[in-house]
Structures are given as C-alpha cells and as structure tokens.
Amino acid sequence: MDTNPDVEPYDTSSLSKVEKQNFRSIISHLSLYTFGAFGYALIYSALLSTHVYRYDPGFPNPQGFPVLAPTALVGIAALVGRFFNPIASVYVGHLSDHTQSKWGRRKPYMALAIFPLFIGFFLVYIPPVPSNSLWNAIYLMIVLIIFFLAFTGYMTPYLSLIAEITDSDAQRVRLSMLVAVANLFGNAAGLVISPLLIQKFGFSQMALCMGGTASLCLLFPLGIEEPKVVFEPALSGEVGFRKMFSVVIEDLDFRIFVISQIFMWIAINIFYLCNSYFVVGLLEKELGFAAVVNGFILIGACMGIILIPRLVAKYGKKKVLSRFLILAGINLCAGAIWPLWLKDQLTVSLLLILSFGISCAGLFVLPNAILAEIIDKSTQRTGQQRGGTYFGFQALVIAISSGISALITGFVLMVGKTALQPLGIQLVYIIAGIFAFASAASLLRNSR
C-alpha cells in the first residue's frame, strides 16, 4: 500500500458534501481565473522571448534589424529593471493579506496593475534612438521597471487566490493543472504568435496586439467573488511586516522550495531569452520559424499534463517535479551541442524541443500546488493565513532569477549569437541545463 505523505486521493467521492459544494464553486469561477493565467503568460512570454533580440539581434540577421544596444548592456538594464520588483512582490503580498475592502483583498491591486503593465510592455519596443546607443539601454531599464512592478502588482494577489478558493490538496492540484494549461497556452501563444507578428508587421505592432489581448484577459479574474476573511488581531496588527518576513524565511519547507525555484527559473528564463537566437543562430531559420519550434513545445506540454495526475498520485509532487527538471536539463544541454554532431540538426532539435515541452508541463503545474501545501501547513501551525506573503516571496524569487538569467544571457551571448558565430547561444543553453539539474538536486536531497 502506498503511504507517500505527499499524495492525497483524487476521487471526488472521498470529499465531503461541503468540499463538493466548494469545488463546484471553484468550477464556476474557473473560466474567469484561467483567463488571467493566459493573459499574464501571453505578455510575459512575448516580452522575454523578444526584448533582448529587439535591442541586439546580432549582425547579420535575416530581417536586417538594427543593433540598438549590445546584449551585455541589455542584460544589465534587465537586471536593474527588476531591482525593485523583489521588494515590491513581498510588500504587495503583505498589503493584500491585510487589505479589507468591498472588492476583496486581492482584486484592488490586480485592477490597478493592468494599465501600467500594458504601457510598460508597449514602450519596450519603441526605443528612442534608431541606432546603437547607450540611451537605448537606459530607456529599456526604465520601462522594464514599470513593466515588472505592474506585473508584480497583478501576479502576487492573483496567485494568492489559489490557496483561498480551494479547500483540499486534491482540488488545489486540479486547479493548478487547469491554470497551468491556460498558462502553457498563453506561453505558446506568446512564443508562437509574437515572432510571426514581428516578421510581418514589426515590433511595435506586435506589442500593441499582444499587450492589448493580454490586458483584456487580465480583466476577467476581477469578476471572481473572493471568500471573506475574518482578521484576527494578531494578523491585522500585532504581527508586523518584518516579523512576517522572518516567519516565512524560518519555514524550512519554504526555504527548500525557494532554493529549488531560484535555479529552476534561471533555467526557464534563459530558454525564453534565447528563443529567437536558437531559431536564427542554431537552426539557421528566419525568426518566424519560432512559431513551429514553439508549437512543438505546446504539443509536448499537453502530453506532459496528461501524465502528471498519475505520476503525482504514485510518487508525489516533489519527486515528479524533480524528474521533469532533470528531463529539462538534458534537453537544454543536448539542444545546444547536438548541432555539432549531426548535419540533420532540425529533426533532432525539434524532437528535443518536444521533449522539453513535456518537462515544461511539470515546471508550470507543480510549483504552485507545492507552495499552496506549504501555506496550508503554515496556517495550521500558526493559525494565520499568509498566502499573499508566501506568494509574494515566490514572485521575489522569480524576479531575482529573471534578473540573474538576463545578466548571464547578455554577457554569454557576446561570445557569439549568429549563425556564423553560435558559440554564445550554445554555452548559455548548457548553463541553463546545469541550473535545471541543480534545481532537481535540491528537491531530491531534501525530500528524503
């Protein structure tokens, strides 16, 4: 008999009458909530996969795009542009935990963030100088600050709702999976459609289309009726922000989770940042071919999502996530070095991309479910629901990892980022694979 403590039953017959009623309530809100996941994934993937290439596509490149700033400066600008984001993520999470309004705890922050998120995204693609200039890098840094602060203002309270509109681990995994499906489709749309729009209409038209669509999707979760929370005196007044910070950091399960997440998101973000270079530099195709490559990722991700429930039921969330991370690391490293060995690199590379898509399913589905479980344990231990603070820390980790990955990518690509000199692209993918292995090792070592 399986006694894995990380596994809970998935049969709804095991749920109580109240739990079934709550689950039906979740289903009624599901379409509204998952539209938000599609929206933020769309705009985030479009930004990460194109903004470095926008400023330094390398020369020569098939479209004849100008170099606006070297990737090293773009990497520095991206790192600085995310500097305030980690602090804001924790602060917004803390504020939303303590907010009481007729619109709820989370929705006011989400609503205020949507317009500046669109503006920040659009401005990234309208640099002030049409040629190589330091001013373009400075400008990029400023508009990225706007974008990521707004992104944090939406994402932290949005993700906090997962722990509040679900009542059991089984429900939470199901909801996380459905959100992950929307997330994956949003990522796929951003990765597939944005290069096609850029090739046909240009960067600014792509930004207007993708940013506008994403903003509309982000409006839908505002229709969710938040559960009412009764604030205890200790939560609303006696426990200050610094105390909350220390309490979360002292949570051993959360510390282990954070270390793994840092490594994982560095790997994921490097993949996003180098997506255009992989297509143009390693596969020697036009930018629009990225739609085919990312279509294979979507197919693989759908295959992975089908596998997740059975794997989690048998092995538990942490072990399954670690296996997906190992698979991602193998694919990233192999995708970088395989073109050196085979002439028919396209077929093999697409198969590797398909396999990478399978691993992406676990990387997007399982972390939120694991974190929600950590929040439940904290609530049982302390008597206080601090979902916003925990998810704020997760956003902090993603922001720090995103900045580190941008800096690494920017400097490594200076070694070479074109079909004539692809060494930098290959090196940065190998580095991403190493971080994926490190993330898996952290989970495996601490789940024994």
Side-chain angles (χ1 to χ4, degrees):
M1 181 176 179
D2 190 356
T3 58
N4 192 333
D6 193 30
V7 177
E8 291 194 15
Y10 284 80
D11 185 3
T12 54
S13 63
S14 65
L15 302 177
S16 67
K17 183 178 180 180
V18 173
E19 286 177 320
K20 289 180 180 179
Q21 291 175 345
N22 290 337
F23 188 69
R24 283 194 290 271
S25 176
I26 293 170
I27 297 299
S28 69
H29 289 106
L30 190 59
S31 60
L32 297 176
Y33 192 81
T34 53
F35 263 106
F38 180 88
Y40 74 69
L42 178 70
I43 199 169
Y44 186 80
S45 61
L47 178 87
L48 258 67
S49 63
T50 59
H51 78 283
V52 177
Y53 193 79
R54 169 61 171 132
Y55 283 80
D56 187 357
F59 190 83
N61 63 81
Q63 291 77 28
F65 294 134
V67 174
L68 303 174
T71 54
L73 289 181
V74 173
I76 294 172
L79 176 64
V80 178
R82 293 163 172 81
F83 180 79
F84 300 100
N85 195 38
I87 300 172
S89 64
V90 180
Y91 192 63
V92 170
H94 179 71
L95 283 177
S96 68
D97 279 345
H98 292 73
T99 295
Q100 297 186 73
S101 75
K102 62 181 180 180
W103 298 287
R105 294 199 294 171
R106 317 298 184 185
K107 291 191 295 184
Y109 299 94
M110 295 161 61
L112 289 172
I114 294 174
F115 182 69
L117 181 65
F118 168 76
I119 293 298
F121 176 75
F122 182 72
L123 291 179
V124 165
Y125 298 93
I126 311 177
V129 183
S131 59
N132 195 341
S133 171
L134 175 63
W135 289 111
N136 285 330
I138 296 173
Y139 170 85
L140 177 63
M141 177 189 69
I142 294 171
V143 294
L144 284 178
I145 290 175
I146 297 172
F147 175 85
F148 282 108
L149 284 177
F151 190 77
T152 293
Y154 188 93
M155 284 295 298
T156 301
Y158 173 85
L159 291 175
S160 301
L161 288 173
I162 292 178
E164 297 176 7
I165 62 176
T166 57
D167 295 311
S168 71
D169 193 52
Q171 291 180 1
R172 195 162 294 126
V173 171
R174 289 189 184 96
L175 179 58
S176 294
M177 284 182 58
L178 292 168
V179 168
V181 172
N183 194 311
L184 287 167
F185 273 94
N187 276 279
L191 293 170
V192 170
I193 298 174
S194 57
L196 292 176
L197 291 176
I198 291 169
Q199 185 165 313
K200 190 172 180 65
F201 301 108
F203 283 98
S204 60
Q205 289 83 353
M206 180 280 294
L208 185 63
C209 178
M210 302 296 277
T213 302
S215 298
L216 289 174
C217 292
L218 295 175
L219 290 171
F220 280 85
L222 300 181
I224 294 174
E225 183 179 352
E226 290 189 46
K228 294 182 180 180
V229 177
V230 178
F231 286 82
E232 299 178 4
L235 181 59
S236 59
E238 294 178 11
V239 180
F241 177 75
R242 292 183 180 179
K243 177 62 176 176
M244 293 283 280
F245 187 95
S246 64
V247 168
V248 172
I249 288 297
E250 290 169 3
D251 188 326
L252 177 60
D253 290 337
F254 185 69
R255 288 208 312 271
I256 294 169
F257 175 79
V258 162
I259 293 170
S260 176
Q261 286 288 285
I262 289 173
F263 296 146
M264 187 188 88
W265 280 104
I266 290 176
I268 291 174
N269 282 311
I270 288 177
F271 171 80
Y272 274 123
L273 292 166
C274 294
N275 186 265
S276 299
Y277 296 103
F278 178 81
V279 172
V280 176
L282 290 187
L283 299 186
E284 300 184 23
K285 301 290 183 179
E286 291 190 347
L287 183 61
F289 191 74
V292 176
V293 170
N294 295 316
F296 272 76
I297 294 177
L298 175 60
I299 295 171
C302 292
M303 294 168 60
I305 286 175
I306 294 172
L307 297 172
I308 285 176
R310 291 181 179 274
L311 293 174
V312 169
K314 186 174 183 179
Y315 300 108
K317 294 185 289 294
K318 290 183 180 179
K319 288 185 178 180
V320 173
L321 178 57
S322 67
R323 298 319 192 264
F324 277 121
L325 284 163
I326 292 172
L327 179 61
I330 292 172
N331 290 321
L332 287 166
C333 292
I337 63 178
W338 201 267
L340 297 175
W341 298 339
L342 284 183
K343 293 181 180 179
D344 186 15
Q345 65 185 57
L346 180 59
T347 300
V348 177
S349 295
L350 290 178
L351 289 175
L352 290 170
I353 288 293
L354 180 71
S355 180
F356 180 75
I358 294 174
S359 66
C360 283
L363 273 54
F364 284 105
V365 169
L366 295 172
N368 285 341
I370 293 172
L371 180 53
E373 181 183 356
I374 293 172
I375 293 170
D376 270 356
K377 291 180 180 178
S378 172
T379 302
Q380 293 171 6
R381 185 173 61 253
T382 65
Q384 299 171 6
Q385 215 289 343
R386 297 179 296 224
T389 302
Y390 275 88
F391 275 101
F393 269 89
Q394 185 187 42
L396 179 151
V397 167
I398 294 174
I400 292 175
S401 303
S402 181
I404 294 172
S405 60
L407 190 65
I408 292 172
T409 300
F411 278 91
V412 175
L413 286 179
M414 293 299 290
V415 177
K417 50 184 171 289
T418 65
L420 297 177
Q421 295 180 320
L423 181 60
I425 308 171
Q426 294 171 319
L427 288 175
V428 81
Y429 269 97
I430 292 173
I431 292 171
I434 292 172
F435 275 109
F437 291 138
S439 180
S442 177
L443 283 176
L444 288 172
R445 184 175 61 251
N446 292 286
S447 61
R448 294 172 183 174

